Amino acid sequence: MKKILIAGCSQEISSFNPVECKYEIFHIIQGNEIYEYHKDKNSYIGGAIEEINNSKKIDPIFTYVAEGFAAGTLEHSAFIKIKNEFLENIKIYKNEIDGIYLSLHGAMGSSKELDPEGLILEEVKKIFGKKIPIVISLDLHGVLTEKMLKNCDGVSSLLTYPHVDFADTGKRAIKLLKKIMFEDINPVAARVKIPAIVRGKELITETGLFGNQTNYAKSLIENNEVLSAGFFIGNPFTDVPELCSQSYVFTDSNKELASEYALKMANDFWPNREKMQAELFNLNDAIKLGSESSATVVFTDAADAPSSGALGDSNEIISEMINQKYPHSILSTILDSEAADLANKMGVGSIITTSIGGKLDRRFKPLMLEFEVISINENPFMPEKWAWLQKPGKSAVLKSENLTIVVTSNPVLQVDRSIYFVNGLDPKNYHTVIVKSPHCEPEFYDKWVKENFNVDAKGATSANLTSLGHKNCQRPMYPLDEKIDFKPEAEISVSYTHLTLPTNREV
């Protein structure tokens, strides 16, 4: 039996969210609680557990997992506290393990550390030494950095967007780690950095152009000569120096083959960069079209998506609909702890006058309305397909004429309809639904609504990437810059685990 240490630290941030997030935003579990929480769930660690349970040669050691919801930049003191807890919980197993699996994300960022995952991996490598292999799992919106590659021996990443393959990605990570431990292989990685950040419907892997890269990566994984492959489009809202798109391939010792495959993915991606930008509706045009529609429509407010790191307190679309006397029923959500607290205090059936939205992100102004309190709620809930418990805090359903709105005290994922269902609401009963997520699984909305207007709204996660104001990412970068001379080069990274290959990095 060989022992695998399992730990995790993950969060996705928007550098353009004006509110730093705190330690309390993280859900922290330790020891066997990790097993109980993730077993049979569609999560990275859930998939890792399934793969481990199918093996008779592995004994897992569950240590520490900190999962933070997407938000603004993490307070540096909070990151230091999490990092120290993480390291304290794993270092007690020094000299007792044969491999390490870490569930990361790739798009963290603190106010003083722009590569938190790279720093954590560096510290882990220092503790356990070069001969203990480390395999990590990452979101395809992660930013794979030089330091991360230097301090791990393998990478497994998501291959679907919207994301549905969390468990499969965790399984692939464990399979790769087993190969390193039991087959004495020498992982070699080739990656190609591409000066482009992208957004829009062409990134939907089932139907869009980006599916060419992820499908190719899947085909490579089925090749016995390839250990792992994938493509990162990065998170355009995590403004860090190494933000870009990039392809990667791991092989056993064969740097030429890894380079060939990684270069193919990059060269196939680059000509489509312009098409992989969002097609956005002017807000007034969308309101006019929605007013004329006879069936349910969706207004996608990707600029205020909590799943991407925004707060969820934008009232821009609602305010303009009210100004233009929008004729249909409207269903939406908003982050406003003050309004939620007042509704809970006054109770169901009461009439309250309160402002909603715009209290945290000053791009928006609070909107004052009179509401009837329809219901109140404080129950945590699980998304329809994802495995991350949502804790909205004090919440309420408020109604003002044709507007029904769910106010929450904490940001919640809106990648599906669960925020409405848990509050006794069904989007199918409304003419217009404002969805604060860039993309949802088709069955949640697109398969039954008449139209989906992706609105060019303001916000910390706007798909209008040139409007955000990047300061840290490398330049030139498409679409932030127009003239870019891209000459693809494969960077080679060699695992130190078995020390049978040269340990220098090559380009």
Side-chain angles (χ1 to χ4, degrees):
M1 294 288 287
K2 294 205 174 188
K3 294 182 178 181
I4 291 180
L5 184 147
I6 295 175
C9 183
S10 62
Q11 189 190 25
E12 178 178 2
I13 66 117
S14 169
S15 305
F16 309 105
N17 181 332
V19 179
E20 288 188 352
C21 65
K22 302 179 184 296
Y23 174 86
E24 289 72 22
I25 202 170
F26 281 79
H27 178 217
I28 295 172
I29 51 179
Q30 301 179 46
N32 286 332
E33 185 184 1
I34 298 169
Y35 178 85
E36 296 299 330
Y37 183 84
H38 284 281
K39 182 185 177 184
D40 299 325
K41 286 191 173 71
N42 182 25
S43 66
Y44 299 106
I45 295 177
I49 289 170
E50 183 178 347
E51 182 62 30
I52 289 169
N53 287 343
N54 290 334
S55 174
K56 297 179 181 179
K57 298 180 180 180
I58 297 176
D59 184 16
I61 299 174
F62 298 96
T63 57
Y64 178 93
V65 174
E67 293 179 341
F69 293 117
T73 302
L74 180 62
E75 286 184 350
H76 190 62
S77 60
F79 167 65
I80 295 300
K81 183 176 181 180
I82 290 167
K83 176 181 71 73
N84 290 343
E85 289 179 355
F86 183 100
L87 297 175
E88 286 295 322
N89 276 271
I90 68 171
K91 71 180 183 181
I92 59 177
Y93 297 102
K94 184 179 180 180
N95 301 321
E96 296 183 23
I97 62 167
D98 302 287
I100 298 171
Y101 164 59
L102 300 182
S103 173
L104 307 176
H105 183 286
M108 287 186 74
S110 85
S111 52
K112 294 183 180 179
E113 177 54 62
L114 298 181
D115 186 9
E117 293 100 333
L119 179 59
I120 287 173
L121 280 166
E122 185 177 59
E123 293 297 318
V124 173
K125 207 70 170 174
K126 286 179 184 177
I127 293 170
F128 293 94
K130 295 179 179 179
K131 291 191 176 183
I132 301 299
I134 301 172
V135 173
I136 64 175
S137 58
L138 296 171
D139 193 298
L140 63 75
H141 290 103
V143 181
L144 181 63
T145 68
E146 180 91 9
K147 188 178 288 187
M148 291 164 68
L149 262 179
K150 184 178 180 181
N151 291 284
C152 77
D153 303 278
V155 176
S156 174
S157 60
L158 294 175
L159 294 170
T160 60
Y161 181 66
H163 308 317
V164 294
D165 62 329
F166 298 105
D168 186 61
T169 302
K171 289 179 188 176
R172 286 187 275 112
I174 298 300
K175 287 178 180 178
L176 175 53
L177 185 55
K178 287 194 299 184
K179 283 186 177 182
I180 298 173
M181 291 191 304
F182 291 105
E183 299 178 24
D184 202 39
I185 64 172
N186 296 284
V188 172
R191 69 160 173 167
V192 180
K193 294 185 290 186
I194 307 160
I197 51 177
V198 290
R199 206 67 175 163
K201 65 181 181 180
E202 291 298 335
L203 300 179
I204 297 174
T205 50
E206 188 172 333
T207 59
L209 287 170
F210 180 53
N212 295 335
Q213 279 69 58
T214 55
N215 287 332
Y216 183 67
K218 289 176 186 176
S219 72
L220 292 178
I221 293 169
E222 296 171 359
N223 181 339
N224 290 332
E225 296 181 291
V226 173
L227 301 174
S228 178
F231 198 104
F232 295 103
I233 49 176
N235 177 28
F237 316 119
T238 306
D239 184 19
V240 294
E242 296 184 63
L243 172 65
C244 64
S245 297
Q246 49 187 312
S247 59
Y248 76 91
V249 176
F250 278 80
T251 64
D252 178 9
S253 306
N254 194 334
K255 61 185 179 184
E256 291 80 12
L257 192 66
S259 298
E260 176 188 339
Y261 292 151
L263 283 166
K264 175 173 171 50
M265 273 191 281
N267 284 320
D268 288 348
F269 176 88
W270 178 249
N272 291 325
R273 65 195 181 281
E274 185 175 355
K275 297 176 183 177
M276 293 184 189
Q277 302 297 323
E279 296 179 5
L280 300 172
F281 278 85
N282 174 275
L283 178 55
N284 288 328
D285 292 343
I287 289 175
K288 182 176 184 298
L289 291 169
S291 298
E292 296 170 351
S293 177
S294 59
T296 301
V297 297
V298 160
F299 280 61
T300 289
D301 187 6
D304 193 38
S307 58
S308 301
L311 289 160
D313 77 331
S314 168
N315 54 25
E316 181 182 9
I317 296 175
I318 294 170
S319 297
E320 194 56 40
M321 285 178 168
I322 291 173
N323 289 340
Q324 297 192 28
K325 296 180 170 40
Y326 195 76
H328 305 296
S329 60
I330 307 164
L331 178 65
S332 187
T333 64
I334 208 156
L335 174 68
D336 195 315
S337 60
E338 292 178 14
D341 187 63
L342 177 61
N344 276 260
K345 180 180 178 180
M346 299 303 292
V348 174
S350 61
I351 304 298
I352 61 174
T353 299
T354 184
S355 61
I356 56 167
K359 296 187 177 77
L360 298 172
D361 191 331
R362 297 304 177 185
R363 278 171 277 221
F364 316 109
K365 295 180 180 179
L367 175 65
M368 186 70 70
L369 292 171
E370 183 179 84
F371 292 100
E372 178 185 358
V373 180
I374 303 300
S375 65
I376 56 177
N377 193 4
E378 200 171 346
N379 295 328
F381 63 92
M382 295 295 288
E384 291 183 71
K385 285 191 174 181
W386 288 20
W388 282 270
L389 184 68
Q390 302 297 295
K391 298 179 179 180
K394 288 183 179 179
S395 305
V397 177
L398 307 180
K399 191 174 189 304
S400 177
E401 298 183 356
N402 63 330
L403 170 65
T404 300
I405 191 161
V406 180
V407 292
T408 64
S409 296
N410 301 320
V412 293
L413 295 177
Q414 296 177 41
V415 294
D416 54 27
R417 302 157 297 183
S418 53
I419 181 60
Y420 297 125
F421 291 159
V422 76
N423 285 286
L425 304 170
D426 187 342
K428 290 185 177 180
N429 294 332
Y430 295 83
H431 177 278
T432 298
V433 186
I434 298 172
V435 178
K436 297 191 175 190
S437 175
H439 296 105
C440 299
E441 284 294 294
E443 64 265 31
F444 297 149
Y445 291 104
D446 288 343
K447 282 189 175 180
W448 59 271
V449 302
K450 184 175 182 181
E451 289 188 82
N452 186 336
F453 305 115
N454 191 2
V455 179
D456 188 5
K458 298 188 295 289
T461 56
S462 171
N464 185 350
L465 301 181
T466 59
S467 72
L468 292 169
H470 290 79
K471 296 179 180 179
N472 296 314
C473 75
Q474 59 187 319
R475 306 294 283 267
M477 178 69 62
Y478 184 84
L480 310 183
D481 306 289
E482 292 184 3
K483 295 182 179 180
I484 302 175
D485 184 19
F486 174 51
K487 296 179 179 179
E489 295 180 325
E491 295 184 1
I492 303 299
S493 181
V494 178
S495 170
Y496 292 89
T497 304
H498 300 301
L499 301 178
T500 59
L501 286 176
T503 57
N504 62 301
R505 292 182 57 80
E506 301 176 44
V507 176

